[in-house]
Amino acid sequence: MTAPASASASFSDSEPVSVPCEGTWSIGELAQQAGVTVKTVRFYSDRGLLPAASRSTGGHRRYGPEALDRLRLIRSLRALDLPLPQVDRVLAHDDAGTDPDTALQDALADQLSALGTQLTALRWREAALHLLHDCTTAERADRLRLIGAMTTPPNTTALARFWRHILPPRLPARLLSTILDEAVPQPPADPTPPQVLTFARLHAVVTNPHVLDISICGPTPRPPSGPCRPAVLYEGLREAYELAATDVRTQQTPHAGEALDCFVAAHAGLRDTPDTPAFRRQLSTQLAHIAHPLIDRYWQLAAEVPTPTPRPTIGACDDWLRTALDRQLA
């Protein structure tokens, strides 16, 4: 059975090679065969990527024919912008006589991921430039200020921090993670100029100093006495929003039903009180007084961000259910 070819052999090209005199080349001769400079060969040799086969009597490095294939492999990997440590890992597998393909695949996967990140950043920069270029003089100064305040592509850390401040403390980690996943829109990889503007405005909302004024136990204010069970509230609200999502998406008129009952029950559970007509009237009044313009603006902007599966935002579902409650009481 024929032994598998080494990585060096598999990557060598078909250029003619002069047989080295006495079996080895000097550093200059190897550089000439490979079409590179002596400085390049010395650099890879000093890094340990291209070991010499022997030393001359004068102490100069001598290289065997296998060094040419190895040098060509190094050049191929470096042409793909693979970092030297990754090149070293691929060569280490080859030196050990093991299949280097796994190390090579890992290195290529890492490089593809890094390149994808760079391309996304370039697309965001391009869209931002179009946004600034294709607008009026009056708009340009404000847009430049908004875009200059965020990174491109935007980092969603500020958006998550906004909700961590607003949401009640000590929510179960799983529940908090689920809410953040649903509340924080993800930047598209290939944005349009309007989407860049939307994220810039979102960033302005969540970094507004007045965010610090928003601090609630939940959408229903905590009573002077009695328990406040935010986990019960937010678990129930998630179920209510899920029940209402189809009607919100299809623009049905807000109405009483299972979604509204679940919505009211969640608020009643927060205060450990029964769902009664009197409680619904009280809840409607309280909800009308706790709306905050920054939160409303956030949901308005979040609705403009495309999602893989079109679905209404939490804010849209909450507005629909509040309206349904008011219509029922009316």
Side-chain angles (χ1 to χ4, degrees):
M1 180 180 295
T2 304
S6 69
S8 297
S10 64
F11 278 87
S12 62
D13 52 36
S14 56
E15 295 178 5
V17 178
S18 300
V19 178
C21 299
E22 302 178 356
T24 59
W25 283 302
S26 68
I27 191 170
E29 291 169 336
L30 177 60
Q32 183 178 18
Q33 290 293 326
V36 299
T37 64
V38 170
K39 183 179 179 181
T40 297
V41 178
R42 184 173 290 113
F43 173 77
Y44 291 135
S45 294
D46 292 343
R47 289 296 300 258
L49 301 178
L50 191 66
S54 61
R55 292 272 181 171
S56 68
T57 54
H60 299 292
R61 286 177 279 209
R62 306 289 300 183
Y63 299 89
E66 69 283 352
L68 181 58
D69 287 335
R70 189 179 183 94
L71 182 54
R72 286 174 176 168
L73 171 57
I74 294 171
R75 291 182 64 200
S76 296
L77 297 177
R78 292 292 290 156
L80 297 173
D81 279 340
L82 262 67
L84 287 174
Q86 289 184 328
V87 173
D88 190 31
R89 282 193 289 272
V90 174
L91 298 176
H93 279 269
D94 195 31
D95 292 340
T98 58
D99 183 8
D101 192 56
T102 299
L104 179 57
Q105 282 189 324
D106 290 344
L108 294 176
D110 289 343
Q111 193 65 9
L112 283 171
S113 177
L115 184 60
T117 300
Q118 294 171 20
L119 289 174
T120 297
L122 288 173
R123 294 188 188 104
W124 272 86
R125 288 171 56 189
E126 180 184 30
L129 290 170
H130 280 298
L131 178 68
L132 294 170
H133 181 270
D134 304 331
C135 67
T136 66
T137 302
E139 293 173 323
R140 190 167 294 118
D142 183 58
R143 292 183 177 186
L144 186 60
R145 176 184 58 80
L146 289 171
I147 292 174
M150 73 168 189
T151 60
T152 51
N155 189 322
T156 57
T157 301
L159 277 64
R161 188 184 304 117
F162 171 80
W163 286 109
R164 288 180 184 275
H165 169 73
I166 293 175
L167 291 169
R170 296 181 297 278
L171 281 179
R174 176 192 56 80
L175 176 59
L176 177 61
S177 176
T178 301
I179 294 173
L180 292 178
D181 286 344
E182 295 174 354
V184 177
Q186 295 303 307
D190 191 7
T192 62
Q195 288 166 0
V196 172
L197 183 59
T198 294
F199 267 92
R201 287 172 171 164
L202 270 173
H203 186 270
V205 167
V206 301
T207 55
N208 189 303
H210 292 292
V211 167
L212 299 177
D213 300 335
I214 311 174
S215 182
I216 56 175
C217 173
T220 305
R222 181 172 181 170
S225 63
C228 179
R229 305 189 298 172
V232 173
L233 170 66
Y234 283 96
E235 287 283 12
L237 288 180
R238 287 192 62 250
E239 183 179 354
Y241 297 153
E242 192 66 32
L243 290 170
T246 299
D247 285 343
V248 177
R249 185 174 60 251
T250 56
Q251 299 183 337
Q252 298 297 313
T253 300
H255 57 82
E258 184 182 6
L260 178 58
D261 291 343
C262 185
F263 178 75
V264 175
H267 286 282
L270 170 72
R271 302 177 62 174
D272 197 21
T273 188
D275 174 7
T276 64
F279 174 77
R280 292 197 176 206
R281 286 192 296 272
Q282 180 189 27
L283 176 62
S284 176
T285 300
Q286 290 175 332
L287 291 176
H289 286 85
I290 64 171
H292 197 286
L294 284 178
I295 297 179
D296 291 342
R297 179 60 171 158
Y298 181 98
W299 289 125
Q300 178 189 16
L301 293 168
E304 299 175 9
V305 180
T307 56
T309 304
R311 58 177 291 121
T313 65
I314 292 175
C317 292
D318 192 74
D319 286 345
W320 190 93
L321 289 164
R322 291 188 187 200
T323 303
L325 176 61
D326 293 341
R327 290 173 65 90
Q328 182 190 54
L329 295 173

